[in-house]
Amino acid sequence: MAIAKVLVGYHVGVQCPRGSTLGGYSGKVRRTQCRPGGRIVAMSVQKTNKLQQAEKLLHEFRQSSATPLALLHQVANDLVHEMNAGLAVEGGSDQLKMLPTYVQNLPSGKEKGLFYAVDLGGTNFRVLRVLLGGKSGQILSQEFKEVAIPRELMVGTGKDLFDFIAGTLAAFVDTEDESLKLHFGKVRESGFAFSFPVRQTSVKSGIVIHWTKGFKVEDAVGKDIVKQLQDALGRSGHQIVISALVNDTVGTLAGGRYNFEEETMVGCIIGTGTNACYVERADAVQKWEDPLPKSGEMVINMEWGNFRSHLLPRTFADEEVDRESVNPGCQWFEKMISGMYLGEIVRHVLVRLAEEASLFGASVPVKLYERRTLGTPAVSKMHADTSTDLQVVAKVLRQVYGVETTTLEERKIVHKVCDILGERGGRLAAAGLYGILKKIGRTGTAMNGATDRKKTVIAMDGGLFEHHGTYRAYMEETLQELMGSGAAYEVALRLQNDGSGIGAALLAASHSQFS
């Protein structure tokens, strides 16, 4: 009867043939392999051992991914150190570019007219049409179209990539209402939000430094990105002028300045990839050789995806993802917190659990070994599963990897993997933002217990932040932990929908060549 007690709680019935026994127990046995002659192997005991091994591996992974508050403060300090080095001299940091932008006029709310934007931010790009109302400070109307970039164009030639983008924008312009065509004539102005490292040489020109997020268009590196798009637009036969080159985070910051009443000081993207920009004191940019802006401020594009620190809690899965990427050894921070890599990291952990703990049965599902089969949207769905039996997890495993049958215990383990990595990503992203706030003096304790705290807004954009609710919650909660209960500043993360694209259109308006 002792073995029978072990089996309580399992629910796959196996009928023992006559003559089989289980310590005097006969008949219906749960998860049991029956053998004639009294020799019985209790599959439930095997299953228990496998689950114990899986839990052991999971515990080790959780420990190696841990982000205690003290470590996050140290990570933020490391980031500030690299920020200062990157501002001091060109190439002062081998991690952060700390690129000064040439945006001199953030939106004021008085911009008026019809403007377009191209938002190249990852595996998808958008074209937008925005009608601004002038003194009313309102966006009267906005339309957009989102298009997936074929994989071959992400690693092909610059001409092919920009002909595809220009053709999409030209076709979108052709869908204008006739009343707009009559009122605004033939020439159109567009902003260009470009979310890859670029060294700007003016508000509408910049040299591509290198590609990230799975792109590798080698012949475009070292060339003016605006000229490449402008040439392609010329080949399309349309009169479209690029008035502003904008990093996607700068566009998000501009959108925040236009839309939010409180002071927006930081723009941040967490989507396919990640980056941040912020408003710095102009005199802190020691490497700037031109006359300082009259405003006394300068927007700095950090390119923070390449931040790395020995304190970042990297695991075997991070090492594998890095090794298999198009840029091994680069973009550590991006690979740990952004959407392009989250699904792959989860997949590598599941492979180890399947190999070393038989998580999905005696054999590893063949498709589990295939790269990029588990997308971050699927991980987000599993992480958000709050049902008692985790049926969303079961559905994803069935649809993606053909795992037809799973126990609740197995689904819980998969869910925990998603949670560990979602928590790690959100907390590390919060540490990065805290580092920026610390650099510009927006942290610290309120004097004499003052309760009237100033508010700082961080304008956010990106699909991972917008759609992965649990990730976002971890990020927001951790930022408040880092700020502390007696903080002098109240910090809010505000979603700036279509931030980079709308911001690019706004900056095209504020830098218009014809207005």
Side-chain angles (χ1 to χ4, degrees), residues 400-411:
V400 177
Y401 293 119
V403 181
E404 295 296 334
T405 304
T406 53
T407 66
L408 179 57
E409 289 78 8
E410 291 165 345
R411 296 194 292 275

Side-chain angles (χ1 to χ4, degrees), residues 166-451:
T168 303
L169 176 59
F172 187 62
V173 169
D174 287 340
T175 65
E176 277 182 7
D177 186 86
E178 285 299 323
S179 62
L180 294 177
K181 294 178 182 179
L182 290 172
H183 186 74
F184 292 104
K186 293 183 178 181
V187 180
R188 294 290 175 266
E189 287 187 275
S190 175
F192 183 16
F194 186 69
S195 63
F196 302 88
V198 61
R199 180 167 288 104
Q200 283 200 237
T201 52
S202 76
V203 74
K204 57 176 182 177
S205 63
I207 307 302
V208 181
I209 299 172
H210 61 82
W211 294 90
T212 57
K213 293 175 282 192
F215 282 77
K216 202 170 185 179
V217 187
E218 296 287 8
D219 67 351
V221 175
K223 298 178 182 177
D224 183 353
I225 197 68
V226 173
K227 185 178 186 305
Q228 293 178 77
L229 178 55
Q230 194 70 69
D231 288 348
L233 288 168
R235 289 191 291 272
S236 76
H238 286 65
Q239 298 182 57
I240 304 172
V241 177
I242 304 299
S243 298
L245 172 63
V246 183
N247 178 271
D248 58 349
T249 53
V250 177
T252 299
L253 173 62
R257 279 286 177 102
Y258 188 87
N259 288 316
F260 305 141
E261 293 182 2
E262 301 88 354
E263 193 170 24
T264 303
M265 295 297 292
V266 181
C268 180
I269 307 286
I270 301 182
T272 303
T274 184
N275 192 18
C277 72
Y278 70 102
V279 181
E280 177 63 272
R281 293 190 344 267
D283 60 4
V285 189
Q286 299 173 38
K287 65 183 179 181
W288 183 256
E289 297 178 352
D290 295 334
L292 295 178
K294 294 180 180 179
S295 66
E297 296 180 330
M298 185 176 296
V299 177
I300 299 297
N301 166 24
M302 294 177 63
E303 294 297 341
W304 81 348
N306 198 43
F307 171 62
R308 58 186 180 275
S309 165
H310 71 281
L311 295 170
L312 292 175
R314 284 164 60 85
T315 68
F316 76 91
D318 297 294
E319 298 291 346
E320 285 295 314
V321 168
D322 183 47
R323 183 180 61 80
E324 295 171 355
S325 70
V326 297
N327 53 355
C330 302
Q331 302 297 113
W332 276 24
F333 199 51
E334 180 170 84
K335 289 171 183 173
M336 296 181 76
I337 73 171
S338 72
M340 182 171 184
Y341 304 95
L342 182 58
E344 266 297 276
I345 297 172
V346 170
R347 185 186 68 82
H348 276 288
V349 178
L350 296 183
V351 167
R352 175 163 289 190
L353 288 167
E355 289 179 338
E356 299 184 17
S358 302
L359 182 64
F360 302 118
S363 60
V364 180
V366 175
K367 198 170 182 182
L368 192 59
Y369 286 115
E370 296 180 15
R371 296 179 187 178
R372 295 187 292 273
T373 47
L374 186 62
T376 295
V379 172
S380 179
K381 287 179 183 178
M382 292 193 292
H383 197 181
D385 188 359
T386 57
S387 62
T388 55
D389 55 356
L390 295 176
Q391 279 304 303
V392 175
V393 175
K395 182 178 180 180
V396 170
L397 293 173
R398 183 169 60 252
Q399 291 180 341
V400 177
Y401 293 119
V403 181
E404 295 296 334
T405 304
T406 53
T407 66
L408 179 57
E409 289 78 8
E410 291 165 345
R411 296 194 292 275
K412 283 182 177 178
I413 289 172
V414 174
H415 188 270
K416 287 176 183 176
V417 172
C418 297
D419 185 61
I420 289 169
L421 289 167
E423 179 181 17
R424 185 189 72 167
R427 287 176 69 82
L428 287 175
L433 293 176
Y434 179 76
I436 296 173
L437 295 173
K438 188 171 185 178
K439 171 67 180 68
I440 60 176
R442 298 273 171 150
T443 61
T445 305
M447 298 295 291
N448 301 320
T451 57

Side-chain angles (χ1 to χ4, degrees), residues 158-171:
K159 181 178 182 300
D160 289 343
L161 175 63
F162 289 107
D163 278 346
F164 179 74
I165 293 171
T168 303
L169 176 59

